[in-house]
PDB file of all heavy atoms in Angstrom:
ATOM      1  N   LEU A   4       8.566  34.150  -9.893  1.00 34.00           N
ATOM      2  CA  LEU A   4       8.474  35.591  -9.970  1.00 34.00           C
ATOM      3  C   LEU A   4       8.967  36.038 -11.359  1.00 34.00           C
ATOM      4  O   LEU A   4       9.928  36.836 -11.397  1.00 34.00           O
ATOM      5  CB  LEU A   4       9.138  36.300  -8.876  1.00 34.00           C
ATOM      6  CG  LEU A   4       8.627  36.042  -7.524  1.00 34.00           C
ATOM      7  CD1 LEU A   4       9.580  36.547  -6.485  1.00 34.00           C
ATOM      8  CD2 LEU A   4       7.291  36.686  -7.360  1.00 34.00           C
ATOM      9  N   VAL A   8       4.302  43.029 -16.241  1.00 42.00           N
ATOM     10  CA  VAL A   8       4.128  44.047 -17.312  1.00 42.00           C
ATOM     11  C   VAL A   8       5.303  44.244 -18.163  1.00 42.00           C
ATOM     12  O   VAL A   8       5.832  45.261 -18.406  1.00 42.00           O
ATOM     13  CB  VAL A   8       3.688  45.393 -16.698  1.00 42.00           C
ATOM     14  CG1 VAL A   8       2.303  45.400 -16.290  1.00 42.00           C
ATOM     15  CG2 VAL A   8       4.625  45.800 -15.564  1.00 42.00           C
ATOM     16  N   ARG A  20      11.001  21.742 -21.443  1.00 47.00           N
ATOM     17  CA  ARG A  20      11.320  20.869 -22.601  1.00 47.00           C
ATOM     18  C   ARG A  20      10.079  20.468 -23.325  1.00 47.00           C
ATOM     19  O   ARG A  20      10.102  20.490 -24.602  1.00 47.00           O
ATOM     20  CB  ARG A  20      12.014  19.572 -22.128  1.00 47.00           C
ATOM     21  CG  ARG A  20      13.475  19.836 -21.782  1.00 47.00           C
ATOM     22  CD  ARG A  20      14.109  18.517 -21.336  1.00 47.00           C
ATOM     23  NE  ARG A  20      15.469  18.776 -20.943  1.00 47.00           N
ATOM     24  CZ  ARG A  20      16.476  18.904 -21.832  1.00 47.00           C
ATOM     25  NH1 ARG A  20      16.219  18.733 -23.080  1.00 47.00           N
ATOM     26  NH2 ARG A  20      17.696  19.080 -21.453  1.00 47.00           N
ATOM     27  N   GLU A  21       9.114  20.194 -22.568  1.00 49.00           N
ATOM     28  CA  GLU A  21       7.836  19.805 -23.150  1.00 49.00           C
ATOM     29  C   GLU A  21       7.297  20.959 -24.057  1.00 49.00           C
ATOM     30  O   GLU A  21       6.713  20.763 -25.163  1.00 49.00           O
ATOM     31  CB  GLU A  21       6.803  19.497 -22.014  1.00 49.00           C
ATOM     32  CG  GLU A  21       5.889  18.423 -22.213  1.00 49.00           C
ATOM     33  CD  GLU A  21       4.981  18.262 -21.080  1.00 49.00           C
ATOM     34  OE1 GLU A  21       5.513  18.248 -19.942  1.00 49.00           O
ATOM     35  OE2 GLU A  21       3.793  18.237 -21.296  1.00 49.00           O
ATOM     36  N   PRO A  35      25.297  33.651 -16.890  1.00 55.00           N
ATOM     37  CA  PRO A  35      26.594  33.897 -16.227  1.00 55.00           C
ATOM     38  C   PRO A  35      26.419  33.991 -14.734  1.00 55.00           C
ATOM     39  O   PRO A  35      25.405  34.329 -14.206  1.00 55.00           O
ATOM     40  CB  PRO A  35      26.957  35.261 -16.790  1.00 55.00           C
ATOM     41  CG  PRO A  35      25.825  35.849 -17.428  1.00 55.00           C
ATOM     42  CD  PRO A  35      24.735  34.721 -17.649  1.00 55.00           C
ATOM     43  N   ASN A  38      30.175  36.868  -8.339  1.00 50.00           N
ATOM     44  CA  ASN A  38      30.107  37.250  -6.948  1.00 50.00           C
ATOM     45  C   ASN A  38      29.065  38.320  -6.659  1.00 50.00           C
ATOM     46  O   ASN A  38      28.485  38.345  -5.638  1.00 50.00           O
ATOM     47  CB  ASN A  38      31.470  37.682  -6.328  1.00 50.00           C
ATOM     48  CG  ASN A  38      32.331  36.480  -6.167  1.00 50.00           C
ATOM     49  OD1 ASN A  38      31.902  35.362  -6.105  1.00 50.00           O
ATOM     50  ND2 ASN A  38      33.655  36.672  -6.219  1.00 50.00           N
ATOM     51  N   SER A  39      28.993  39.282  -7.586  1.00 53.00           N
ATOM     52  CA  SER A  39      28.048  40.379  -7.310  1.00 53.00           C
ATOM     53  C   SER A  39      26.656  39.941  -7.191  1.00 53.00           C
ATOM     54  O   SER A  39      25.819  40.527  -6.524  1.00 53.00           O
ATOM     55  CB  SER A  39      28.182  41.441  -8.464  1.00 53.00           C
ATOM     56  OG  SER A  39      27.735  40.894  -9.611  1.00 53.00           O
ATOM     57  N   HIS A  41      25.795  37.243  -5.407  1.00 63.00           N
ATOM     58  CA  HIS A  41      25.646  36.849  -3.999  1.00 63.00           C
ATOM     59  C   HIS A  41      25.338  38.098  -3.178  1.00 63.00           C
ATOM     60  O   HIS A  41      24.518  38.188  -2.273  1.00 63.00           O
ATOM     61  CB  HIS A  41      26.815  36.124  -3.498  1.00 63.00           C
ATOM     62  CG  HIS A  41      27.023  34.791  -4.246  1.00 63.00           C
ATOM     63  ND1 HIS A  41      26.122  33.842  -4.261  1.00 63.00           N
ATOM     64  CD2 HIS A  41      28.073  34.401  -4.978  1.00 63.00           C
ATOM     65  CE1 HIS A  41      26.524  32.852  -4.995  1.00 63.00           C
ATOM     66  NE2 HIS A  41      27.741  33.135  -5.444  1.00 63.00           N
ATOM     67  N   MET A  65      24.057  39.947 -15.121  1.00 71.00           N
ATOM     68  CA  MET A  65      25.413  40.399 -14.775  1.00 71.00           C
ATOM     69  C   MET A  65      25.782  41.545 -15.582  1.00 71.00           C
ATOM     70  O   MET A  65      26.468  42.524 -15.093  1.00 71.00           O
ATOM     71  CB  MET A  65      26.370  39.238 -15.047  1.00 71.00           C
ATOM     72  CG  MET A  65      26.181  38.061 -14.055  1.00 71.00           C
ATOM     73  SD  MET A  65      26.298  38.515 -12.399  1.00 71.00           S
ATOM     74  CE  MET A  65      27.960  39.042 -12.284  1.00 71.00           C
ATOM     75  N   THR A  72      22.592  48.903 -13.182  1.00 71.00           N
ATOM     76  CA  THR A  72      21.116  49.005 -13.500  1.00 71.00           C
ATOM     77  C   THR A  72      20.461  47.779 -12.858  1.00 71.00           C
ATOM     78  O   THR A  72      21.038  46.648 -12.882  1.00 71.00           O
ATOM     79  CB  THR A  72      20.907  48.908 -15.048  1.00 71.00           C
ATOM     80  OG1 THR A  72      21.609  49.967 -15.609  1.00 71.00           O
ATOM     81  CG2 THR A  72      19.453  49.061 -15.353  1.00 71.00           C
ATOM     82  N   THR A  74      16.249  46.127 -11.931  1.00 86.00           N
ATOM     83  CA  THR A  74      14.762  46.288 -12.055  1.00 86.00           C
ATOM     84  C   THR A  74      14.101  45.737 -10.782  1.00 86.00           C
ATOM     85  O   THR A  74      14.141  44.555 -10.536  1.00 86.00           O
ATOM     86  CB  THR A  74      14.253  45.555 -13.274  1.00 86.00           C
ATOM     87  OG1 THR A  74      14.883  46.097 -14.451  1.00 86.00           O
ATOM     88  CG2 THR A  74      12.760  45.781 -13.409  1.00 86.00           C
ATOM     89  N   THR A  83      -3.476  40.858 -10.776  1.00 92.00           N
ATOM     90  CA  THR A  83      -4.990  40.788 -10.974  1.00 92.00           C
ATOM     91  C   THR A  83      -5.321  40.474 -12.447  1.00 92.00           C
ATOM     92  O   THR A  83      -6.514  40.496 -12.773  1.00 92.00           O
ATOM     93  CB  THR A  83      -5.637  42.030 -10.501  1.00 92.00           C
ATOM     94  OG1 THR A  83      -4.962  43.135 -11.059  1.00 92.00           O
ATOM     95  CG2 THR A  83      -5.553  42.114  -8.957  1.00 92.00           C
ATOM     96  N   GLN A  97      -1.336  41.275  -2.299  1.00 89.00           N
ATOM     97  CA  GLN A  97      -0.788  41.548  -0.980  1.00 89.00           C
ATOM     98  C   GLN A  97      -1.032  43.020  -0.579  1.00 89.00           C
ATOM     99  O   GLN A  97      -1.276  43.845  -1.463  1.00 89.00           O
ATOM    100  CB  GLN A  97       0.737  41.292  -1.027  1.00 89.00           C
ATOM    101  CG  GLN A  97       1.081  39.792  -1.159  1.00 89.00           C
ATOM    102  CD  GLN A  97       2.287  39.494  -2.055  1.00 89.00           C
ATOM    103  OE1 GLN A  97       2.627  40.343  -2.925  1.00 89.00           O
ATOM    104  NE2 GLN A  97       2.891  38.385  -1.762  1.00 89.00           N
ATOM    105  N   VAL A  99      -0.137  46.700   0.404  1.00 96.00           N
ATOM    106  CA  VAL A  99       0.834  47.573  -0.030  1.00 96.00           C
ATOM    107  C   VAL A  99       1.703  47.935   1.211  1.00 96.00           C
ATOM    108  O   VAL A  99       1.233  48.292   2.253  1.00 96.00           O
ATOM    109  CB  VAL A  99       0.252  48.900  -0.594  1.00 96.00           C
ATOM    110  CG1 VAL A  99       1.352  49.911  -0.927  1.00 96.00           C
ATOM    111  CG2 VAL A  99      -0.614  48.623  -1.783  1.00 96.00           C
ATOM    112  N   LEU A 101       4.029  50.209   3.138  1.00 96.00           N
ATOM    113  CA  LEU A 101       4.301  51.655   3.110  1.00 96.00           C
ATOM    114  C   LEU A 101       5.786  51.971   3.254  1.00 96.00           C
ATOM    115  O   LEU A 101       6.209  53.059   2.860  1.00 96.00           O
ATOM    116  CB  LEU A 101       3.509  52.349   4.197  1.00 96.00           C
ATOM    117  CG  LEU A 101       1.973  52.224   3.968  1.00 96.00           C
ATOM    118  CD1 LEU A 101       1.220  52.973   5.108  1.00 96.00           C
ATOM    119  CD2 LEU A 101       1.581  52.832   2.613  1.00 96.00           C
ATOM    120  N   ASP A 128      -7.096  45.903  -8.064  1.00 95.00           N
ATOM    121  CA  ASP A 128      -7.802  46.003  -6.767  1.00 95.00           C
ATOM    122  C   ASP A 128      -7.589  47.298  -6.055  1.00 95.00           C
ATOM    123  O   ASP A 128      -8.376  47.591  -5.128  1.00 95.00           O
ATOM    124  CB  ASP A 128      -7.383  44.754  -5.910  1.00 95.00           C
ATOM    125  CG  ASP A 128      -5.858  44.836  -5.651  1.00 95.00           C
ATOM    126  OD1 ASP A 128      -5.039  45.053  -6.587  1.00 95.00           O
ATOM    127  OD2 ASP A 128      -5.483  44.537  -4.507  1.00 95.00           O
ATOM    128  N   VAL A 152      15.547  57.328 -12.892  1.00 96.00           N
ATOM    129  CA  VAL A 152      14.513  56.407 -12.603  1.00 96.00           C
ATOM    130  C   VAL A 152      13.669  56.146 -13.835  1.00 96.00           C
ATOM    131  O   VAL A 152      13.220  57.059 -14.498  1.00 96.00           O
ATOM    132  CB  VAL A 152      13.642  56.755 -11.370  1.00 96.00           C
ATOM    133  CG1 VAL A 152      12.612  55.674 -11.066  1.00 96.00           C
ATOM    134  CG2 VAL A 152      14.454  57.138 -10.203  1.00 96.00           C
ATOM    135  N   ILE A 166      -2.306  57.932 -14.153  1.00 98.00           N
ATOM    136  CA  ILE A 166      -1.124  58.297 -15.027  1.00 98.00           C
ATOM    137  C   ILE A 166      -0.534  59.594 -14.539  1.00 98.00           C
ATOM    138  O   ILE A 166       0.735  59.777 -14.482  1.00 98.00           O
ATOM    139  CB  ILE A 166      -1.585  58.347 -16.481  1.00 98.00           C
ATOM    140  CG1 ILE A 166      -2.150  57.013 -16.933  1.00 98.00           C
ATOM    141  CG2 ILE A 166      -0.455  58.737 -17.456  1.00 98.00           C
ATOM    142  CD1 ILE A 166      -2.867  57.032 -18.288  1.00 98.00           C
ATOM    143  N   ASN A 180       4.558  48.432 -21.618  1.00 96.00           N
ATOM    144  CA  ASN A 180       4.718  47.511 -22.754  1.00 96.00           C
ATOM    145  C   ASN A 180       3.450  47.278 -23.526  1.00 96.00           C
ATOM    146  O   ASN A 180       2.435  47.084 -23.037  1.00 96.00           O
ATOM    147  CB  ASN A 180       5.320  46.196 -22.267  1.00 96.00           C
ATOM    148  CG  ASN A 180       6.812  46.285 -22.056  1.00 96.00           C
ATOM    149  OD1 ASN A 180       7.468  47.069 -22.834  1.00 96.00           O
ATOM    150  ND2 ASN A 180       7.352  45.605 -21.072  1.00 96.00           N
ATOM    151  N   LEU A 187      -3.877  40.116 -31.639  1.00 96.00           N
ATOM    152  CA  LEU A 187      -3.607  39.052 -30.577  1.00 96.00           C
ATOM    153  C   LEU A 187      -3.715  39.592 -29.118  1.00 96.00           C
ATOM    154  O   LEU A 187      -3.519  38.878 -28.200  1.00 96.00           O
ATOM    155  CB  LEU A 187      -2.164  38.498 -30.749  1.00 96.00           C
ATOM    156  CG  LEU A 187      -1.832  37.813 -32.040  1.00 96.00           C
ATOM    157  CD1 LEU A 187      -0.348  37.438 -32.116  1.00 96.00           C
ATOM    158  CD2 LEU A 187      -2.696  36.615 -32.299  1.00 96.00           C
ATOM    159  N   TYR A 188      -4.115  40.886 -29.093  1.00 94.00           N
ATOM    160  CA  TYR A 188      -4.079  41.551 -27.779  1.00 94.00           C
ATOM    161  C   TYR A 188      -4.838  40.853 -26.698  1.00 94.00           C
ATOM    162  O   TYR A 188      -4.319  40.566 -25.628  1.00 94.00           O
ATOM    163  CB  TYR A 188      -4.498  43.068 -27.946  1.00 94.00           C
ATOM    164  CG  TYR A 188      -3.678  43.927 -27.003  1.00 94.00           C
ATOM    165  CD1 TYR A 188      -2.338  44.180 -27.394  1.00 94.00           C
ATOM    166  CD2 TYR A 188      -4.179  44.474 -25.831  1.00 94.00           C
ATOM    167  CE1 TYR A 188      -1.558  44.964 -26.539  1.00 94.00           C
ATOM    168  CE2 TYR A 188      -3.430  45.260 -25.054  1.00 94.00           C
ATOM    169  CZ  TYR A 188      -2.127  45.540 -25.402  1.00 94.00           C
ATOM    170  OH  TYR A 188      -1.353  46.311 -24.588  1.00 94.00           O
ATOM    171  N   GLY A 193      -5.416  39.017 -22.033  1.00 89.00           N
ATOM    172  CA  GLY A 193      -6.642  38.893 -21.325  1.00 89.00           C
ATOM    173  C   GLY A 193      -7.693  39.937 -21.700  1.00 89.00           C
ATOM    174  O   GLY A 193      -7.437  40.925 -22.339  1.00 89.00           O
ATOM    175  N   THR A 217       9.303  58.285 -23.401  1.00 98.00           N
ATOM    176  CA  THR A 217       8.383  57.110 -23.356  1.00 98.00           C
ATOM    177  C   THR A 217       8.968  55.964 -24.074  1.00 98.00           C
ATOM    178  O   THR A 217       9.748  56.093 -25.021  1.00 98.00           O
ATOM    179  CB  THR A 217       6.981  57.493 -23.927  1.00 98.00           C
ATOM    180  OG1 THR A 217       7.164  58.097 -25.197  1.00 98.00           O
ATOM    181  CG2 THR A 217       6.165  58.499 -23.062  1.00 98.00           C
ATOM    182  N   ASP A 230       3.952  42.504 -40.997  1.00 96.00           N
ATOM    183  CA  ASP A 230       3.319  43.738 -41.270  1.00 96.00           C
ATOM    184  C   ASP A 230       2.510  44.311 -40.017  1.00 96.00           C
ATOM    185  O   ASP A 230       2.369  45.470 -39.820  1.00 96.00           O
ATOM    186  CB  ASP A 230       2.355  43.635 -42.458  1.00 96.00           C
ATOM    187  CG  ASP A 230       3.101  43.620 -43.733  1.00 96.00           C
ATOM    188  OD1 ASP A 230       4.314  43.971 -43.728  1.00 96.00           O
ATOM    189  OD2 ASP A 230       2.446  43.389 -44.823  1.00 96.00           O
ATOM    190  N   PRO A 255       6.842  29.930 -20.536  1.00 83.00           N
ATOM    191  CA  PRO A 255       7.251  29.546 -19.166  1.00 83.00           C
ATOM    192  C   PRO A 255       6.817  28.151 -18.751  1.00 83.00           C
ATOM    193  O   PRO A 255       7.628  27.533 -18.010  1.00 83.00           O
ATOM    194  CB  PRO A 255       6.569  30.543 -18.233  1.00 83.00           C
ATOM    195  CG  PRO A 255       6.022  31.594 -19.013  1.00 83.00           C
ATOM    196  CD  PRO A 255       5.813  31.044 -20.485  1.00 83.00           C
ATOM    197  N   SER A 256       5.782  27.600 -19.263  1.00 85.00           N
ATOM    198  CA  SER A 256       5.383  26.264 -18.931  1.00 85.00           C
ATOM    199  C   SER A 256       4.366  25.763 -20.023  1.00 85.00           C
ATOM    200  O   SER A 256       3.831  26.606 -20.791  1.00 85.00           O
ATOM    201  CB  SER A 256       4.685  26.229 -17.638  1.00 85.00           C
ATOM    202  OG  SER A 256       3.305  26.580 -17.749  1.00 85.00           O
ATOM    203  N   GLU A 270      16.503  38.503 -38.187  1.00 97.00           N
ATOM    204  CA  GLU A 270      15.215  39.141 -38.294  1.00 97.00           C
ATOM    205  C   GLU A 270      14.951  40.245 -37.289  1.00 97.00           C
ATOM    206  O   GLU A 270      14.335  41.284 -37.484  1.00 97.00           O
ATOM    207  CB  GLU A 270      14.036  38.029 -38.151  1.00 97.00           C
ATOM    208  CG  GLU A 270      12.784  38.440 -38.874  1.00 97.00           C
ATOM    209  CD  GLU A 270      11.857  37.207 -38.992  1.00 97.00           C
ATOM    210  OE1 GLU A 270      12.321  36.057 -39.143  1.00 97.00           O
ATOM    211  OE2 GLU A 270      10.662  37.449 -38.934  1.00 97.00           O
ATOM    212  N   PHE A 291      17.473  38.052 -26.909  1.00 89.00           N
ATOM    213  CA  PHE A 291      17.587  38.085 -25.434  1.00 89.00           C
ATOM    214  C   PHE A 291      17.206  39.431 -24.898  1.00 89.00           C
ATOM    215  O   PHE A 291      17.258  39.721 -23.687  1.00 89.00           O
ATOM    216  CB  PHE A 291      19.081  37.889 -25.075  1.00 89.00           C
ATOM    217  CG  PHE A 291      19.472  36.429 -25.139  1.00 89.00           C
ATOM    218  CD1 PHE A 291      20.227  36.007 -26.239  1.00 89.00           C
ATOM    219  CD2 PHE A 291      19.147  35.622 -24.111  1.00 89.00           C
ATOM    220  CE1 PHE A 291      20.567  34.612 -26.276  1.00 89.00           C
ATOM    221  CE2 PHE A 291      19.519  34.220 -24.179  1.00 89.00           C
ATOM    222  CZ  PHE A 291      20.269  33.750 -25.338  1.00 89.00           C
ATOM    223  N   ARG A 299      19.853  51.829 -19.092  1.00 82.00           N
ATOM    224  CA  ARG A 299      20.526  53.144 -18.893  1.00 82.00           C
ATOM    225  C   ARG A 299      21.028  53.705 -20.185  1.00 82.00           C
ATOM    226  O   ARG A 299      20.858  54.919 -20.420  1.00 82.00           O
ATOM    227  CB  ARG A 299      21.693  52.816 -17.889  1.00 82.00           C
ATOM    228  CG  ARG A 299      22.476  54.069 -17.541  1.00 82.00           C
ATOM    229  CD  ARG A 299      23.679  53.707 -16.626  1.00 82.00           C
ATOM    230  NE  ARG A 299      24.517  54.870 -16.288  1.00 82.00           N
ATOM    231  CZ  ARG A 299      25.651  54.713 -15.720  1.00 82.00           C
ATOM    232  NH1 ARG A 299      26.095  53.556 -15.386  1.00 82.00           N
ATOM    233  NH2 ARG A 299      26.361  55.851 -15.446  1.00 82.00           N
TER     234      ARG A 299
END
Side-chain angles (χ1 to χ4, degrees):
L4 296 167
V8 285
R20 280 179 182 281
E21 215 180 312
N38 286 338
S39 63
H41 298 300
M65 292 305 294
T72 302
T74 301
T83 52
Q97 292 145 333
V99 177
L101 295 179
D128 57 318
V152 184
I166 300 170
N180 279 329
L187 301 175
Y188 217 73
T217 50
D230 283 351
S256 83
E270 206 167 326
F291 285 101
R299 181 183 177 190

